[in-house]
Amino acid sequence: MWMIGIGITIQVLSYISSTRNGFHIADKSLFAISMTQFLTSFFPTLLIVPLAYFWSTADWKVRWLQPYIALAEGNQPASQSILLDYTGLNQLAVLIYSAKYKHNLVFISTLTALAILLLQPLAGSLLQVRQVPYTFNTTAVSIRTAALAADAFQLNAFLASAGYVDAAAYGDLGDPPYIHGEWTAAWFEPPPGLYLNGSLTVNTTGIRSQVNCVNPTSLNLTPSGGNYTAQATFRNGCSANLDFTASAGNQQYSVLNAGSCASQGQDIEFQPVVFWYYFQDTSSGSGPEVAAVFCEPMINIFAMSASMDLSSGTLGNCTILDTYVQPNNVTGNPLNGQAFSGTIFRYASQQQPGGVQAVFTDPYGWLNATSKLYTQHLAIATQFLYFGPTNETIPATLTTISPRLFVEPLPAHALSALLFVVAITGFTIHLLHAPSRRKLWLISPPGSIASIVSMTSRSGFGELLLPYDDDRHMQDRLTGLKFRLDPRNGAIIAEEEEPSAGSDDVTLLSGEDIHPSTRFGMDDSTPLSAA
């Protein structure tokens, strides 16, 4: 039952290990290395030692009793009774002789004992410590909530944002912390500690800044007194014009509010904007080119799930959970959900493959560039414009590379199966061996030399043997005799084989029955079976 219980336990632990990504172990300990070695090698081996010891003892007793069981059954030759010693043979020899003499229980018991040797290597490979991503629930502290900043109508946020976007355009920088594309997350403080390749996921407030930029439906550049006038029409029917002074430079950039495209009465800081780009390639002698991009920014606030790389502070995937419904002065009065259209109109077009000309050649070149940088500009400004201070504990999920203890599936299944087989086989062997043991009447368990002598001193056949006889000589001298145990007193009795195949007579050996050269030296009137 112990083996079956351990086998079931191993299977349960293997299932838990696979479904829960292993078991937690301490990763900050002065004895971390020795503890890992103890858990993965010494402990499972120590668990198997009692099982191996128990079965080796049980197997030894089965082999030890076999000669006496053969004597109790009676009519056994010397090779299968008094000369048989399974305990003095190695296990391979035991298998050979037990198969030869058809001692089936001894054969199966020894075979099972050999299978027990596999328990230790299987147990040694059962556990393994791996550095794997592990996710657990924790908390973070939100330090920002949706609220209009006190200095929102000043230029500070836009100047800071413009400076970063300029640097990002020239230096190919990514988004700053708490910014991911069009998303801006409320600032939060992760739980303290160092986490290897840590990633934190929180449910927080997020503002999505959408710039809604489009190309014009028509665009013309008309000379005007040595200068040029650009005229653009957009899909909503609104239009915009801008004059370029050729002497001002071959590359010119500008952004203006599109008042004709704004809602009636809309303040200028919330009106749509048009980005203008002017370029003349003097080296090729071609005429000037112009591009225009219309953008109508808007913001929406959501309850969202956001992930952050704890090593770099980079915001990862953002997932909308629900609409943000808490009262605030961003979606409510005074903004009522309008987005500031703060603009940046510098772009490092020379960083693009093919230079400025390539951007003009691509029909979506300026649209894509404007959308990207304008989105980043507004997302960064959003962090300063639409969030106010707070201090709130929020639920979070932390994923980090952590040492975890695993139960390896293959050794676990093999070890459990072997334990089940050994347990069932062992139970069956001893169940079948019990009737044979019940027929075995011994006054005392044989063990010492004195106990062996006491069982054979009146048997007479000892006179046939000499102290220096080896097994072969003993076999030769005892040929023709059969041996059994006297059920009355446990003494070993030697009998001559039947004189003919059809005779039922059995003669007890006595001193007169043996040739003078091999007489046992017993009184003629004393039966050999006497105790």
Side-chain angles (χ1 to χ4, degrees):
M1 293 301 294
W2 188 14
M3 288 187 177
I4 292 178
I6 292 178
I8 294 174
T9 301
I10 290 174
Q11 286 298 305
V12 171
L13 293 177
S14 176
Y15 174 78
I16 296 175
S17 171
S18 62
T19 56
R20 298 187 180 180
N21 201 22
F23 299 93
H24 172 73
I25 59 174
D27 57 349
K28 293 181 180 179
S29 172
L30 294 176
F31 306 101
I33 297 178
S34 60
M35 182 61 70
T36 299
Q37 293 175 342
F38 176 78
L39 287 174
T40 58
S41 58
F42 178 74
F43 176 74
T45 303
L46 184 65
L47 185 66
I48 294 302
V49 166
L51 304 180
Y53 174 77
F54 167 79
W55 184 254
S56 63
T57 301
D59 173 63
W60 182 86
K61 288 187 176 181
V62 170
R63 292 186 280 119
W64 176 61
L65 289 176
Q66 182 56 40
Y68 300 96
I69 291 175
L71 289 171
E73 293 174 350
N75 198 34
Q76 298 293 326
S79 61
Q80 300 182 38
S81 55
I82 64 173
L83 290 180
L84 182 62
D85 181 16
Y86 281 133
T87 61
L89 299 175
N90 61 64
Q91 291 177 314
L92 182 60
V94 171
L95 290 176
I96 295 174
Y97 282 102
S98 60
K100 176 181 178 181
Y101 298 145
K102 293 183 173 54
H103 296 158
N104 296 328
L105 292 183
V106 175
F107 181 86
I108 297 174
S109 176
T110 304
L111 196 62
T112 306
L114 287 174
I116 289 291
L117 299 177
L118 297 175
L119 290 178
Q120 183 173 351
L122 287 174
S125 59
L126 181 64
L127 302 179
Q128 184 181 26
V129 175
R130 303 184 210 153
Q131 298 285 343
V132 297
Y134 176 65
T135 301
F136 58 93
N137 295 326
T138 183
T139 59
V141 178
S142 176
I143 58 175
R144 291 288 188 273
T145 187
L148 187 62
D151 59 350
F153 290 88
Q154 300 180 15
L155 295 177
N156 297 338
F158 296 111
L159 290 175
S161 175
Y164 186 89
V165 174
D166 265 349
Y170 280 99
D172 194 22
L173 302 179
D175 291 324
Y178 301 97
I179 306 294
H180 180 68
E182 62 185 10
W183 285 100
T184 304
W187 283 32
F188 54 86
E189 294 181 350
L194 297 176
Y195 302 98
L196 182 61
N197 292 337
S199 170
L200 186 71
T201 301
V202 300
N203 295 340
T204 186
T205 304
I207 297 180
R208 183 171 65 184
S209 302
Q210 294 175 297
V211 294
N212 302 310
C213 295
V214 295
N215 277 329
T217 56
S218 65
L219 179 62
N220 298 307
L221 186 62
T222 305
S224 176
N227 297 319
Y228 296 93
T229 299
Q231 299 173 327
T233 304
F234 304 99
R235 63 186 179 187
N236 55 5
C238 65
S239 61
N241 299 333
L242 183 63
D243 293 331
F244 290 96
T245 302
S247 60
N250 295 331
Q251 298 185 38
Q252 299 181 42
Y253 314 95
S254 181
V255 58
L256 297 174
N257 64 299
S260 63
C261 302
S263 302
Q264 186 175 6
Q266 189 175 34
D267 292 338
I268 190 172
E269 59 264 28
F270 304 114
Q271 292 180 1
V273 295
V274 178
F275 290 86
W276 295 95
Y277 308 97
Y278 170 87
F279 175 68
Q280 183 170 12
D281 188 356
T282 56
S283 62
S284 63
S286 60
E289 297 180 274
V290 69
V293 177
F294 173 83
C295 298
E296 191 173 14
M298 62 180 295
I299 59 171
N300 296 100
I301 305 180
F302 297 95
M304 73 170 186
S305 172
S307 63
M308 172 180 281
D309 186 338
L310 295 181
S311 60
S312 64
T314 304
L315 198 66
N317 293 333
C318 299
T319 305
I320 298 175
L321 301 178
D322 201 354
T323 303
Y324 188 81
V325 295
Q326 297 182 22
N328 61 85
N329 55 3
V330 176
T331 56
N333 188 53
L335 285 190
N336 298 312
Q338 298 181 96
F340 286 102
S341 58
T343 57
I344 175 175
F345 46 88
R346 297 182 61 193
Y347 177 64
S349 57
Q350 62 271 24
Q351 298 296 101
Q352 304 303 305
V356 177
Q357 186 61 56
V359 180
F360 274 97
T361 302
D362 184 353
Y364 298 98
W366 285 111
L367 175 61
N368 293 337
T370 302
S371 297
K372 174 185 176 182
L373 296 182
Y374 192 29
T375 297
Q376 188 179 55
H377 172 60
L378 293 185
I380 296 173
T382 294
Q383 189 64 254
F384 303 100
L385 295 173
Y386 309 124
F387 286 103
T390 188
N391 193 311
E392 179 185 4
T393 300
I394 56 176
T397 302
L398 197 152
T399 301
T400 182
I401 301 298
S402 176
R404 302 284 292 178
L405 181 66
F406 286 84
V407 178
E408 291 297 309
L410 181 59
H413 298 330
L415 182 58
S416 296
L418 184 59
L419 288 173
F420 292 153
V421 170
V422 169
I424 294 172
T425 304
F427 177 78
T428 304
I429 288 174
H430 286 279
L431 189 66
L432 298 176
H433 199 252
S436 299
R437 295 197 301 268
R438 282 195 292 268
K439 293 188 299 183
L440 184 59
W441 293 94
L442 295 175
I443 302 302
S444 61
S448 65
I449 296 176
S451 65
I452 299 298
V453 171
S454 68
M455 297 175 67
T456 60
S457 60
R458 299 301 179 94
S459 298
F461 67 87
E463 296 295 330
L464 298 174
L465 305 176
L466 298 174
Y468 47 80
D469 284 342
D470 56 19
D471 289 343
R472 185 176 63 81
H473 286 89
M474 290 183 183
Q475 178 68 40
D476 292 341
R477 294 177 185 276
L478 298 177
T479 298
L481 300 178
K482 297 288 186 178
F483 299 86
R484 64 181 176 87
L485 285 179
D486 190 334
R488 298 171 300 173
N489 50 35
I492 298 177
I493 299 174
E495 302 171 338
E496 287 184 326
E497 292 185 359
E498 298 176 357
S500 63
S503 175
D504 293 330
D505 296 335
V506 176
T507 304
L508 294 179
L509 292 176
S510 67
E512 295 178 348
D513 298 323
I514 305 299
H515 189 274
S517 63
T518 57
R519 294 178 65 89
F520 293 170
M522 301 180 59
D523 295 337
D524 294 343
S525 60
T526 303
L528 291 179
S529 60

